[in-house]
């Protein structure tokens, strides 16, 4: 497993709590990560399209009174199963990293 952020899992996690439009997904990830994880449109929308192609989410246009329509995404049963798999893999990866890294680094300057 890669040590890079699993953006697909993050999006699936947000959608597992209910339907959401792209900006809402991005905002939820940013807020829950205390502003550490930030997804711009250039990162988020390719992920959403990939999740749709995989059959893990479904997007529909919803009309908004007085506003332009918004594309709202919902997780599918296959997406929920994928989220479980990805969450398990991520936890195993994080546990493995935790076993290697010291809990409180005792590195002194000049010692590498």
């Amino acid at each position: 497993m890669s040590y890079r952020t699993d953006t697909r899992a993050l999006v699936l996690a947000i959608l597992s709590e209910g339907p959401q439009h792209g900006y809402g997904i991005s905002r939820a990830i940013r807020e829950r990560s205390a502003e550490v994880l930030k997804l711009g449109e250039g990162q988020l929308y390719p992920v959403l399209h990939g999740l749709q192609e995989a059959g893990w989410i479904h997007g529909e246009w919803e009309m908004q009174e007085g506003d332009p329509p918004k594309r709202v995404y919902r997780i599918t049963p296959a997406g929920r199963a994928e989220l479980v798999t990805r969450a398990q893999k991520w936890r195993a990866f994080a546990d493995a990293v935790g076993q290697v890294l010291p809990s409180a680094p005792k590195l002194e300057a000049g010692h590498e």
Side-chain angles (χ1 to χ4, degrees), residues 7-15 25 29 39 44 47-48 51:
T7 308
R8 287 179 170 206
L10 298 176
V11 171
L12 289 171
I14 297 302
L15 292 177
I25 295 167
I29 291 169
L39 298 178
L44 179 61
V47 169
L48 289 169
L51 292 171

Side-chain angles (χ1 to χ4, degrees), residues 8 17 20 22 42 44 52 61 71 73 80 87 96-97 109:
R8 287 179 170 206
E17 297 173 359
Q20 192 63 262
L44 179 61
Q52 281 190 115
W61 288 103
R71 188 136 178 104
Y73 299 91
R80 288 188 186 281
V97 170

Side-chain angles (χ1 to χ4, degrees), residues 1-11 82 86-87 90:
M1 172 174 222
S2 171
Y3 60 87
R4 300 174 78 186
T5 302
D6 188 349
T7 308
R8 287 179 170 206
L10 298 176
V11 171
E82 181 65 17
R86 286 177 180 259
W90 186 261

Side-chain angles (χ1 to χ4, degrees), residues 22-66:
Y23 177 75
I25 295 167
S26 178
R27 185 183 66 226
I29 291 169
R30 186 180 66 246
E31 288 173 357
R32 291 183 193 185
S33 71
E35 305 287 326
V36 172
L37 303 174
K38 298 175 185 177
L39 298 178
E41 287 182 20
Q43 294 171 299
L44 179 61
Y45 287 99
V47 169
L48 289 169
H49 293 148
L51 292 171
Q52 281 190 115
E53 288 177 11
W56 298 334
I57 66 171
H58 176 71
E60 293 180 334
W61 288 103
E62 288 191 359
M63 304 307 288
Q64 309 288 317
E65 192 168 323

Side-chain angles (χ1 to χ4, degrees), residues 91-110:
R91 285 187 192 104
F93 174 77
D95 289 345
V97 170
Q99 295 299 315
V100 175
L101 294 176
S103 58
K106 298 178 182 174
L107 302 176
E108 297 178 27

